[in-house]
Amino acid sequence: MSTVRHNTTLVNGTEIFYREAGQKGKPALVLLHGYPTSSHMYRNLLQQLAGDFYLIAPDYPGFGRSAQPHMADFEYSFDNFANIVEGLLDQLGLQRYSLYLMDYGAPVGFRIASAHPEKIDSLIVQNGCAYDEGLEQFWDPIKSYWKNKDDKATERILEGFHSIDGLQWQYTNGVADTALVSPDNWEHDLRHILRPGNNDIQLQLFYDYQQNVALYPKWQEYFRTYNPEMLIVYGKNDYIFPVAGAEAYKKDVKNLEYHLFDTGHFALETHGDEIAAAIRTFLHKKVARKSQPAA
């Protein structure tokens, strides 16, 4: 079943868009997207894995095709994004699942995993961070913003990350053959970023990211205590979350399968076939015998 369904539902009063593929009853994989993108980044992976697994890929509020509530009415934080994703999974009746964690998807997913370790079959990490080692030069202006949210010079630097040039750079930096990366990616992302008020939402999430860093020790303790099965599929040329952050997982994760690819931040754009094959092999080996009951 390679058909991808495009659904919208209310979660905690907010309209959430999500892509769904595969058949319920097969091992479930929840795909959590990063900044500045949406579930669109998983459009190909959903097709590639739908024959073997049941897949869900939501858009966070303010991203993709999910609603963008006014900031006065909605808390744009990683805590709240995790609550939204959990609410969706509860609606879908998923009691066990694997999580694919990319960029912002890592702090969202690690909140869920550490709060509900009994629900986690495995973790797949693609250019997502849980260690200080993964926060190098790219993060300097964001760290400055944490110290002074009123610094307009720093704010302009951060806004540049989701300008059209900044979007394109995130997709192409570290990629040997940029012709492999579709320009549709940053054009698609720009659609939601240009919504009135979205720039302020993105800045608020940059500021809130410091709460993720404060939780790194808790997540590392989760790794040591619960020994989750983990697959790392990482673009090794990523400037945003450099490979030192991928290496750091080796300190705490015992059940680790580790793959680096010669590409940048959005590794699926250039190495989607290889990553899909690694996921399929990993999940069949680790969780295929654990059948997910239908809702």
Side-chain angles (χ1 to χ4, degrees):
M1 295 180 64
S2 60
T3 300
V4 177
R5 293 170 292 279
H6 304 86
N7 305 313
T8 303
T9 187
L10 278 180
V11 181
N12 302 344
T14 300
E15 191 175 85
I16 297 299
F17 173 86
Y18 67 97
R19 300 170 197 253
E20 179 185 32
Q23 184 177 358
K24 269 194 173 181
K26 292 187 175 183
L29 176 59
V30 180
L31 307 165
L32 300 179
H33 69 80
Y35 160 89
T37 184
S38 65
S39 63
H40 178 261
M41 68 168 284
Y42 295 122
R43 65 202 180 280
N44 298 322
L45 193 63
L46 288 162
Q47 296 274 2
Q48 291 165 310
L49 297 179
D52 298 270
F53 310 106
Y54 176 61
L55 302 113
I56 295 294
D59 291 350
Y60 313 134
F63 289 78
R65 296 187 176 275
S66 284
Q68 180 185 295
H70 193 280
M71 291 179 70
D73 304 317
F74 184 87
E75 178 193 344
Y76 284 92
S77 70
F78 291 90
D79 279 345
N80 206 19
F81 283 179
N83 291 336
I84 290 284
V85 172
E86 282 192 76
L88 174 62
L89 300 183
D90 287 344
Q91 275 192 30
L92 295 171
L94 294 180
Q95 296 303 311
R96 289 192 67 87
Y97 41 81
S98 296
L99 294 173
Y100 189 112
L101 312 175
M102 189 272 173
D103 190 272
Y104 278 9
V108 173
F110 287 142
R111 278 172 168 79
I112 296 170
S114 59
H116 304 286
E118 75 283 357
K119 295 185 177 183
I120 304 303
D121 280 332
S122 68
L123 300 172
I124 301 169
V125 179
Q126 187 243 299
N127 299 81
C129 193
Y131 292 87
D132 290 335
E133 292 92 322
L135 304 179
E136 294 185 358
Q137 290 89 342
F138 176 86
W139 289 85
D140 288 347
I142 298 175
K143 292 176 181 178
S144 295
Y145 197 57
W146 298 343
K147 295 176 183 177
N148 182 6
K149 196 177 182 182
D150 296 323
D151 184 340
K152 296 302 180 183
T154 298
E155 187 176 281
R156 285 191 294 272
I157 293 171
L158 300 185
E159 289 171 342
F161 293 164
H162 47 256
S163 68
I164 187 63
D165 291 338
L167 295 175
Q168 181 175 351
W169 176 87
Q170 290 185 62
Y171 278 96
T172 58
N173 183 260
V175 176
D177 183 0
T178 58
L180 295 174
V181 183
S182 172
D184 295 338
N185 284 294
W186 48 90
E187 296 289 349
H188 187 276
D189 294 347
L190 194 64
R191 173 192 172 275
H192 71 252
I193 287 168
L194 289 179
R195 284 187 283 185
N198 194 272
N199 179 68
D200 290 339
I201 289 169
Q202 302 304 335
L203 292 173
Q204 170 57 29
L205 290 168
F206 286 147
Y207 188 74
D208 190 63
Y209 201 93
Q210 62 189 297
Q211 305 303 325
N212 301 331
V213 179
L215 289 172
Y216 283 179
K218 177 182 178 180
W219 300 338
Q220 294 158 17
E221 180 60 30
Y222 159 73
F223 301 150
R224 292 190 293 269
T225 301
Y226 291 96
N227 298 315
E229 299 283 356
M230 182 180 289
L231 170 67
I232 287 182
V233 283
Y234 223 86
K236 68 179 183 178
N237 307 326
D238 189 2
Y239 184 76
I240 298 171
F241 288 120
V243 74
E247 290 287 327
Y249 286 99
K250 295 178 180 179
K251 296 188 296 184
D252 299 308
V253 181
K254 296 178 182 177
N255 303 319
L256 179 65
E257 185 174 318
Y258 188 85
H259 300 271
L260 298 180
F261 299 94
D262 186 16
T263 191
H265 189 61
F266 285 99
L268 286 172
E269 293 302 316
T270 55
H271 289 71
D273 291 344
E274 295 93 327
I275 291 173
I279 292 170
R280 188 179 294 106
T281 299
F282 173 80
L283 290 181
H284 277 308
K285 183 167 57 178
K286 301 297 184 181
V287 304
R289 291 188 297 273
K290 303 174 184 177
S291 180
Q292 164 66 48

